[in-house]
Amino acid sequence: MCIGMYFRRQELTPDIMVGIIGAGISGLTLAYQLQERNIPYLLLEEKDITGGYIKTEITDNYTLDIGPNSILADEEITKFFNSIGIENELIEANPNSKDRYIFKAGKYQVLPDSPPKLLKSNFFSFKTKISILREFFRKTEKIEDETLAHFITRRFNKEVTDYVLNPFVTGIYAGNPEKLLVKLTFPILNDLENKYGSVLKGMLKSGGSGRRKSFNFRNGMATLPKAIAKKLKNLQLNTQVEKVEYQDGQYKVSALSNGQILSYNFSQLVIATPAFAASSIMENISIEVAKALSQIEYPSMALVHTVYSKDNVNVQLNGFGGLNPKIENKFAAGSIWTSSVFSGRVPDNQILLTSFVGGSQYSEQYKNADQQIKENIIQDFQRDLKIEGRPLMQKIHRWEKAIPQYDKNLQAAYSEIEKLQVKGIYFCAGWYKGVSLSDCIKNASQLAKNISTLKDTHS
Ligand SMILES: Cc1cc2nc3c(=O)[nH]c(=O)nc-3n(C[C@H](O)[C@H](O)[C@H](O)COP(=O)(O)OP(=O)(O)OC[C@H]3O[C@@H](n4cnc5c(N)ncnc54)[C@H](O)[C@@H]3O)c2cc1C
């Protein structure tokens, strides 16, 4: 729907008019929640499609997610799915796929998912098991800007850092645990140490953070942005915001739309783009913020989908996937055994594996040519998963700027944002206080609530 003409006329701008830049999951959710509260908004998106990093490619035989592969849902997220009417589209992860495999000592081994299982299994050395038990009694420390690797090595030991933390951080952030900060990634770890004196004691006493389930959708992850976009009355595609200025208490936004320069006035402005795009948008508002945003790292990552006939697979792939600790020097960061997790991705007699190459610890591997990456993955599958022969289909998708790194540079950007003097500008995106889709939905929903409080004080 094109409503640019209407918003160009300043005299029609009501007291609260929210401009949202970027129709990824964050901007879409925010727009939807504002609409539900009868708050006027306009959502501007540069592409001709919504969803940002969420993308699904559907062909005759295959449903391939080339961005996020699943979403973790608790009660709040489930309610959100119901409100946008996609509850019948949901596919829950197969219960047989709950095990996570980690490559260790030449093979994939199940990572024990509870302390008793961990003590019984041979996954860790005896020394590490003792070290894990000693975490209950280890003295607490407060360390400024502590990295995840430092925290886990301090509380547990290096083997836990290398074989649990490292592959998981690769899986979530495509990041390096030596650089990511505890307080930005898993602040719960600091909280448990401070409150209970021990992470394990805290986990036992607080009873965990509530069960969350992993979901995808019948027609892939793109179902989610499509469903939200369908509900929106004020979404404008093909509109690239180029410049924002703050004048007389209003945000003046200039955008390029189908070769035309359009301008809009907003009382509140939400930037829901990746940090590198937010950086140029912010240049006229604060050069310091713009500079800090430009320094947030987004390592590159390639997703490789590989499909085999089931006849070629000699082992049961009952698990979520296999993650590769950096110390094992594998080519890929890991693979999700996608067809074991979600049904309907490929025909019943085939399997689909989704591999990740790149991220901050595998940047050299990303530099390989497409064909080389594909071949290396086939060789790894032959050696480590005993899959024979050639795949029926293999596709690669590259993200030059994949996932924002929650490290010191991000911390510096947050500090600059806190110093911003102008009012009524907000950030709502995967780089701002939560990278997962569920964090993006929750943060956007909370921002809509905060903005609606402003409206109440205006009226
Ligand atoms: C490969 C990969 C795998 C992932 N896997 C998972 C997973 O399995 N589960 C999970 O929970 N999370 C996952 N994530 C993270 C998650 O996908 C992202 O954090 C999330 O999608 C970010 O959403 P967003 O709305 O903040 O931003 P984006 O998706 O980046 O959306 C921003 C939008 O802004 C638009 N835009 C940019 N500049 C302008 C401009 N100047 N004017 C107008 N519009 C503009 C863009 O076109 C885009 O549509 C993954 C991410 C990647 C890259």
Side-chain angles (χ1 to χ4, degrees), residues 21-27 44-47 49-54 66-72 239-242 272-274 277 281 301 303 356 399 402-404 428-431 435-438 440:
I21 308 172
I25 188 65
S26 304
L44 304 172
E45 165 58 46
E46 71 178 359
K47 304 250 166 69
I49 189 171
T50 61
Y53 284 104
I54 309 176
I66 53 185
N69 273 259
S70 60
I71 176 167
L72 272 179
T239 306
Q240 183 183 36
V241 170
E242 297 199 311
T273 67
I281 293 171
M301 190 156 69
L303 249 79
F356 298 86
W399 291 101
I403 299 187
C428 181
W431 58 269
V435 78
S436 73
L437 296 173
S438 37
C440 291

Side-chain angles (χ1 to χ4, degrees), residues 17-250:
M17 166 57 74
V18 185
I20 308 168
I21 308 172
I25 188 65
S26 304
L28 287 166
T29 306
L30 176 68
Y32 171 72
Q33 300 286 23
L34 290 175
Q35 184 170 291
E36 289 290 284
R37 291 175 160 79
N38 293 320
I39 297 173
Y41 71 90
L42 175 62
L43 173 56
L44 304 172
E45 165 58 46
E46 71 178 359
K47 304 250 166 69
D48 60 358
I49 189 171
T50 61
Y53 284 104
I54 309 176
K55 283 192 171 157
T56 307
E57 219 177 86
I58 300 183
T59 63
D60 285 351
N61 284 328
Y62 307 124
T63 302
L64 307 177
D65 283 307
I66 53 185
N69 273 259
S70 60
I71 176 167
L72 272 179
D74 58 9
E75 212 183 321
E76 183 181 341
I77 298 295
T78 310
K79 269 192 195 153
F80 181 72
F81 292 156
N82 295 347
S83 76
I84 55 169
I86 52 172
E87 62 276 28
N88 295 329
E89 295 297 311
L90 284 169
I91 306 180
E92 193 179 329
N94 182 342
N96 290 340
S97 71
K98 75 175 180 33
D99 285 337
R100 262 75 175 162
Y101 284 77
I102 306 280
F103 197 84
K104 190 166 193 260
K107 59 176 193 243
Y108 282 108
Q109 304 190 30
V110 178
L111 178 72
D113 62 359
S114 68
K117 281 192 203 165
L118 188 135
L119 292 176
K120 261 195 242 160
S121 91
N122 290 326
F123 187 84
F124 283 123
S125 64
F126 180 70
K127 201 171 133 207
T128 293
K129 289 180 185 178
I130 298 294
S131 202
I132 291 171
L133 284 178
R134 288 179 65 185
E135 198 278 332
F136 281 97
F137 313 103
R138 206 154 271 140
K139 73 175 172 46
T140 61
E141 281 179 68
K142 281 203 169 117
I143 297 174
E144 189 68 17
D145 291 339
E146 187 170 25
T147 65
L148 275 170
H150 193 273
F151 181 94
I152 296 295
T153 307
R154 174 169 70 76
R155 296 296 315 170
F156 298 93
N157 77 356
K158 181 132 182 349
E159 194 182 2
V160 178
T161 295
D162 287 342
Y163 282 96
V164 183
L165 174 71
N166 185 291
F168 272 92
V169 162
T170 304
I172 300 170
Y173 289 95
N176 182 347
E178 306 279 350
K179 291 192 176 163
L180 302 187
L181 301 183
V182 185
K183 68 178 171 193
L184 298 183
T185 48
F186 301 105
I188 179 85
L189 295 174
N190 283 141
D191 295 346
L192 293 174
E193 181 183 22
N194 294 339
K195 190 163 172 203
Y196 299 97
S198 143
V199 173
L200 293 179
K201 204 186 293 173
M203 282 165 79
L204 290 175
K205 286 205 170 164
S206 62
S209 57
R211 195 83 196 116
R212 297 189 296 166
K213 290 180 176 168
S214 187
F215 290 97
N216 198 312
F217 303 90
R218 214 178 298 284
N219 290 313
M221 293 301 295
T223 304
L224 181 58
K226 275 189 199 156
I228 310 173
K230 221 166 145 188
K231 298 249 170 215
L232 298 182
K233 298 190 180 116
N234 301 322
L235 161 65
Q236 193 167 302
L237 298 175
N238 296 311
T239 306
Q240 183 183 36
V241 170
E242 297 199 311
K243 200 167 81 175
V244 174
E245 283 162 307
Y246 187 63
Q247 278 172 17
D248 310 325
Q250 294 245 314

Side-chain angles (χ1 to χ4, degrees), residues 264-311:
Y264 311 88
N265 290 325
F266 299 111
S267 59
Q268 317 287 316
L269 187 68
V270 181
I271 298 178
T273 67
F276 47 86
S279 167
S280 49
I281 293 171
M282 283 299 291
E283 266 169 17
N284 292 321
I285 306 286
S286 160
I287 197 72
E288 292 79 17
V289 170
K291 194 170 166 221
L293 290 174
S294 72
Q295 281 163 8
I296 296 173
E297 265 188 64
Y298 278 72
S300 306
M301 190 156 69
L303 249 79
V304 184
H305 291 103
T306 311
V307 174
Y308 288 97
S309 161
K310 270 190 180 161
D311 296 340

